[in-house]
Amino acid sequence: MCLMSLSADAGVPYVVNATVTGQIGGEVSVQCRYGHPYRSRQKQWCRSGDWSSCQKAGSPGTAGHGSVLITDHTAEGLFSVTVSGLRPEDQGWYWCDISDQQLPVYLKVTEATATAAPTSQQTSSAVHTAPPAPTDKDSGGEGCEKHNANSLTELALNVLGKMTVFLLFLTCSVIAIGKIWKNRTAKQDAL
């Protein structure tokens, strides 16, 4: 499963809901958040496994048979994607691509329900559920594993770097305390 819980305070991009569900003919919205370092960087929406499908923020277009509107709200650190006119073949894995970060999103398309008056939940832009396991048809598993591996590598290097700085500080402190102690002992012996 391709879920990550990262803080926007750290500037690390993340997707608000990793799975969105919409009905055939309806629409869904996806919110991808990012920190200040990413505000001037390129943002795009891509179907997993098909980089030629990528659409850049600010360029409405089509994805599959639906219509896609991508808006970048830089002041809020938010780039939003609205996919309308959903069809069953639109179901699958997509990426919120923010510069060098690919954030997985699973789009699930369901049959339209026949009700006289739709509920507010049915008319909302998205119903969020836990992400299903990807199938061969949906693909994206490889990309998800690669994304998680890259993110885990970045996290490990970040932790390793911080631990190295801490150990260097600790070593310098021990050496300084040792010298101070040695000088103090020498002064006391001289008296």
Side-chain angles (χ1 to χ4, degrees):
M1 189 182 321
C2 234
L3 293 175
M4 300 183 68
S5 296
L6 299 171
S7 168
D9 296 337
V12 179
Y14 67 95
V15 65
V16 175
N17 291 294
T19 299
V20 291
T21 302
Q23 295 179 354
I24 294 173
E27 71 177 31
V28 293
S29 291
V30 177
Q31 293 184 346
C32 306
R33 296 233 170 233
Y34 55 88
H36 184 70
Y38 291 90
R39 288 189 179 176
S40 63
R41 299 206 184 159
Q42 178 178 312
K43 290 104 182 162
Q44 55 186 6
W45 175 252
C46 308
R47 179 136 194 165
S48 181
D50 183 8
W51 287 105
S52 66
S53 71
C54 295
Q55 295 178 356
K56 295 179 182 172
S59 61
T62 60
H65 297 281
S67 177
V68 177
L69 176 62
I70 305 168
T71 309
D72 188 11
H73 307 277
T74 55
E76 292 86 25
L78 167 70
F79 119 70
S80 61
V81 179
T82 302
V83 183
S84 59
L86 290 172
R87 300 184 96 186
E89 51 268 25
D90 293 326
Q91 181 166 302
W93 286 98
Y94 291 81
W95 297 109
C96 277
D97 184 57
I98 302 174
S99 187
D100 57 349
Q101 302 286 319
Q102 291 81 39
L103 310 168
V105 177
Y106 188 79
L107 170 57
K108 183 174 181 177
V109 181
T110 61
E111 292 288 327
T113 57
T115 58
T119 65
S120 62
Q121 186 176 19
Q122 291 170 321
T123 58
S124 69
S125 61
V127 177
H128 308 289
T129 61
T135 64
D136 289 339
K137 180 182 175 213
D138 297 327
S139 188
E142 286 178 29
C144 193
E145 290 168 8
K146 181 180 177 187
H147 174 69
N148 281 343
N150 288 343
S151 296
L152 290 175
T153 301
E154 288 178 27
L155 180 62
L157 289 173
N158 189 8
V159 170
L160 184 60
K162 289 179 180 180
M163 287 177 52
T164 302
V165 169
F166 174 73
L167 289 175
L168 182 60
F169 172 75
L170 186 62
T171 302
C172 290
S173 297
V174 168
I175 291 170
I177 290 171
K179 286 186 177 190
I180 291 170
W181 187 260
K182 184 178 176 181
N183 287 341
R184 182 177 177 205
T185 306
K187 284 183 181 179
Q188 286 179 349
D189 288 343
L191 294 176

